[in-house]
Amino acid sequence: MMKKTVILTSINPPTPAIARFAALPDWDVLVVGDLKTPPEWHCPAVTYVSVEMQKALPFKTVQHLPWNHYARKMIGYLLAAREGAVLLAESDDDNLPDANWQFPAMAGRYDHVPEGCDIVNIYSLFTRQPIWPRGFPLTRITASASTLDPAALTPESARIGIWQALADDDPDVDAIYRLTSNTPCRFTRRAPVVLPPRTFSPFNSQNTAFRRELLPLMYLPARVNFRVTDILRGYVAQPILWAAGYRLGFLGPTVRQERNAHDLLADFASERPLYTDIERIMDLVNESVQPDAPISDNLTHVYRHLARHGIVKEAELTLLSAWLEDVAALDRT
């Protein structure tokens, strides 16, 4: 049986969500702590990576990651890969997994969205409720071209690089949705759906699985606003994914989110680059990916291009370089 690991972060006492993940068969659970995590943190059947353990790790990434930051999850990615995980899944400590929480096969015949649209609102395939994922361009919310018709899907074979599963009750939406509607959502359970190359959709780090071969693309930028981190990762990853011959797929809800307390106005301020820069980011990423370049090289090309255009800071390139050195060292072992 292939080794599979789910990675979470925690600054709180063990939550029901973490306990549920720990009870799942066939998965190892790894939790990365932070300075705010109680020193005595413990949860049965969970590998906990404490602050002191992190400081002792040989990874260069550890030297450059900020404390009290969501991107410290990357330490868990590296540890899982070092321990031989071939599928790396991630979630958060406020997402309660279903009893049969799982991801589909990474290769198979799945329903595909037709080509021809640069970005789609994937939620429109799973609900008729007017709702959109965090990171979806505000200019496209009412655009009919971004809304998907289930009747237009056609089955095709594909190699999946990344699966994103949805979350019920309080799904991943932006602060504008929460401040103006905040209507809970229960998504339809339907067959998985795959996007074709050159069609973007936002995806997050809350209920997501990556092939081990795509470990470089799990890089979480740490020098951007907190609410931008995983969404920017997703936009960067997709054209690199296409160039490497893989696709992004979505499936219905497999977790129920009981969202931790948030200041919605603070979320709104943190998300501002998502409201103003996403379409520009799409263009910049598309134009900087080289079709025949290795995944790690393309990741570097993209972030350098984003830095030249002011989307990320130069300091991001230092952390990225350390991350890619760590990934390359794992690949050599």
Side-chain angles (χ1 to χ4, degrees):
M1 181 179 296
M2 67 177 182
K3 184 175 177 62
K4 302 179 291 185
T5 302
V6 57
I7 300 103
L8 306 98
T9 53
S10 182
I11 58 171
N12 303 307
T15 63
I18 293 178
R20 285 200 195 182
F21 277 111
L24 292 171
D26 305 327
W27 288 90
D28 296 320
V29 179
L30 188 154
V31 170
V32 179
D34 214 329
L35 294 179
K36 295 180 181 180
T37 309
E40 68 280 2
W41 197 99
H42 172 75
C43 185
V46 167
T47 298
Y48 175 58
V49 189
S50 69
V51 167
E52 293 306 313
M53 291 172 66
Q54 292 173 46
K55 291 178 179 178
L57 289 170
F59 303 131
K60 293 185 177 182
T61 301
V62 175
Q63 303 168 23
H64 300 281
L65 274 173
W67 290 101
N68 293 329
H69 197 288
Y70 188 75
R72 297 200 73 82
K73 216 184 217 188
M74 291 196 292
I75 296 170
Y77 307 158
L78 292 170
L79 286 170
R82 190 177 72 176
E83 294 303 310
V86 297
L87 186 66
L88 292 88
E90 56 184 339
S91 191
D92 289 338
D93 65 359
D94 55 2
N95 286 331
L96 286 86
D98 293 346
N100 59 347
W101 185 84
Q102 196 60 262
F103 290 91
M106 303 305 283
R109 192 168 178 82
Y110 298 108
D111 285 347
H112 274 62
V113 170
E115 297 184 5
C117 192
D118 62 344
I119 189 166
V120 293
N121 178 358
I122 198 68
Y123 285 1
S124 65
L125 276 178
F126 295 87
T127 182
R128 294 184 179 180
Q129 185 172 320
I131 188 171
W132 60 92
R134 177 169 53 102
F136 190 73
L138 297 183
T139 57
R140 309 295 186 94
I141 289 172
T142 59
S144 58
S146 301
T147 301
L148 295 167
D149 177 6
L153 304 180
T154 55
E156 296 179 30
S157 296
R159 285 196 307 167
I160 308 301
I162 304 168
W163 282 115
Q164 167 79 83
L166 304 188
D168 264 341
D169 290 353
D170 197 348
D172 188 38
V173 293
D174 60 32
I176 289 178
Y177 180 85
R178 288 197 167 93
L179 288 165
T180 58
S181 172
N182 209 28
T183 305
C185 186
R186 283 279 172 137
F187 292 108
T188 300
R189 279 141 175 87
R190 55 147 298 133
V193 180
V194 174
L195 297 185
R198 295 174 294 281
T199 297
F200 282 99
S201 172
F203 74 90
N204 58 50
S205 60
Q206 296 181 10
N207 194 14
T208 315
F210 285 72
R211 285 175 178 259
R212 165 62 177 85
E213 303 96 295
L214 300 181
L215 178 62
L217 298 184
M218 297 189 78
Y219 177 79
L220 285 165
R223 307 299 179 185
V224 297
N225 292 354
F226 166 68
R227 296 285 293 168
V228 174
T229 297
D230 58 338
I231 300 301
L232 179 58
R233 176 182 77 170
Y235 276 103
V236 168
Q238 288 174 72
I240 302 174
L241 189 78
W242 307 331
Y246 297 99
R247 298 192 180 180
L248 168 65
F250 289 84
L251 57 148
T254 61
V255 301
R256 178 171 57 84
Q257 182 168 178
E258 294 183 351
R259 195 172 193 240
N260 295 326
H262 279 244
D263 179 334
L264 293 182
L265 286 178
D267 282 355
F268 172 82
S270 180
E271 289 169 2
R272 286 195 66 170
L274 301 180
Y275 306 141
T276 59
D277 295 339
I278 284 300
E279 288 167 293
R280 182 167 169 242
I281 289 169
M282 290 163 56
D283 291 338
L284 291 171
V285 176
N286 271 327
E287 68 191 29
S288 54
V289 170
Q290 300 178 11
D292 299 321
I295 289 171
S296 293
D297 289 355
N298 263 331
L299 197 60
T300 300
H301 297 325
V302 170
Y303 274 100
R304 284 177 177 168
H305 199 49
L306 293 176
R308 283 194 293 270
H309 289 268
I311 301 296
V312 300
K313 300 173 182 176
E314 288 291 332
E316 195 70 61
L317 302 180
T318 302
L319 176 58
L320 175 64
S321 177
W323 164 258
L324 292 176
E325 286 188 50
D326 288 335
V327 171
L330 290 177
D331 289 342
R332 290 192 295 269
T333 58

